[in-house]
Amino acid sequence: MDSNLFIAALDRDSLAFIDACEVAGLSTVVASCPGWTVADLLWHLTEVHDFWRTIVAEQRSDWKGYEQPPRPVDEGLPDLYRRGRVELLETLAESDPATPVWTWSSDKTAAFVVRRMMHETAVHLWDATAAAGLVNPIEAALASDGIDEFLTHFVGNVAEGAAPVGGSVHLHCGDVAGEWTVRESADGFDVAREHSKGDCAIRGSASDILLTLWRRLPLSSCDVVGDAEVAARFIAHTSLD
């Protein structure tokens, strides 16, 4: 998917996010983010948007020296978020996706930031809507891309004390294109975008699979075929910190 589609989705979901936060109420507990209230969730996304806007706007080659804005009182968070949201969208829309910038990934371009901000916001929109007592699955094509992003950039971050997965995992979206097979290797994981048989398969809607990978939904939200213990170890294996 191209950056313009990601920016359009970011525009839509970042606006829906603040609406959901206000429906939920700033003091409401966010069950999918243990220890956080909606105000904490709102501050987190405000800070993340500001950080990556700065990286791209200043075409930074290093994150060091970035100064986080001070957190206002909770009542001031919505206005700060709204201003930062507009500034982020303007910066990303005006930037060439090929612009070299610092990122923590192997992709050192503004395109990585556009994609990352879209998926970061989409998952936190789900957090906010869930806190408000609403059901809001992630749009299928974007969720499928989110699975691909997770398997490309996050699956190798091992959680402390995580057991080896001990088998191969096939992920298969049932509502939109998207299939991957993940196999352990000496360097972590090999991910192939292919249809093949694994020791287990995790099947479901793209949104349910993505939210399960991010441990927002239990593995039981998907259909697991084959070795269920391999599937459970795979979901638990990635550090989300």
Side-chain angles (χ1 to χ4, degrees):
M1 300 181 70
D2 71 32
S3 289
N4 289 332
L5 292 176
F6 286 143
I7 291 172
L10 174 59
D11 187 5
R12 178 196 66 204
D13 287 354
S14 61
L15 183 59
F17 171 80
I18 186 60
D19 290 343
C21 287
E22 294 187 321
V23 170
L26 296 179
S27 63
T28 298
V29 170
V30 182
S32 53
C33 300
W36 281 10
T37 64
V38 169
D40 296 323
L41 177 65
L42 179 53
W43 168 241
H44 168 74
L45 196 55
T46 300
E47 178 190 5
V48 169
H49 284 179
D50 183 76
F51 175 82
W52 287 108
R53 178 199 59 78
T54 303
I55 293 294
V56 175
E58 299 180 4
Q59 298 183 21
R60 291 194 173 209
S61 59
D62 198 324
W63 64 268
K64 295 176 182 177
Y66 165 75
E67 294 186 8
Q68 177 182 315
R71 176 171 174 167
V73 297
D74 287 356
E75 291 75 16
L77 285 168
D79 285 344
L80 181 63
Y81 171 84
R82 287 189 178 94
R83 291 195 300 272
R85 168 188 174 274
V86 171
E87 291 171 357
L88 173 69
L89 288 165
E90 289 176 348
T91 295
L92 297 183
E94 292 169 1
S95 299
D96 184 335
T99 300
V101 297
W102 176 88
T103 78
W104 47 257
S105 79
S106 57
D107 183 350
K108 308 292 186 184
T109 68
F112 170 85
V113 177
V114 173
R115 189 188 195 197
R116 178 85 287 276
M117 288 302 90
M118 191 278 294
H119 289 306
E120 177 89 5
T121 301
V123 171
H124 287 319
L125 169 58
W126 188 91
D127 292 328
T129 53
L134 305 172
V135 176
N136 186 32
I138 297 171
E139 194 272 323
L142 297 179
S144 179
D145 185 81
I147 296 167
D148 190 81
E149 188 214 29
F150 185 96
L151 297 177
T152 300
H153 295 297
F154 291 93
V155 76
N157 299 331
V158 181
E160 184 176 356
V165 173
S168 57
V169 181
H170 182 68
L171 299 99
H172 190 164
C173 299
D175 57 344
V176 69
E179 291 189 70
W180 304 261
T181 301
V182 184
R183 300 177 178 88
E184 286 182 297
S185 69
D187 298 323
F189 290 98
D190 291 327
V191 179
R193 299 179 182 92
E194 64 180 14
H195 175 78
S196 64
K197 184 175 177 58
D199 293 299
C200 71
I202 299 174
R203 301 173 179 169
S205 71
S207 179
D208 284 351
I209 294 174
L210 178 60
L211 291 168
T212 298
L213 289 172
W214 282 108
R215 298 203 283 274
R216 265 47 181 192
L217 292 177
L219 182 57
S220 59
S221 299
C222 300
D223 181 25
V224 177
V225 179
D227 194 328
E229 293 185 0
V230 169
R233 289 194 294 269
F234 175 71
I235 295 300
H237 194 268
T238 302
S239 171
L240 304 184
D241 295 335

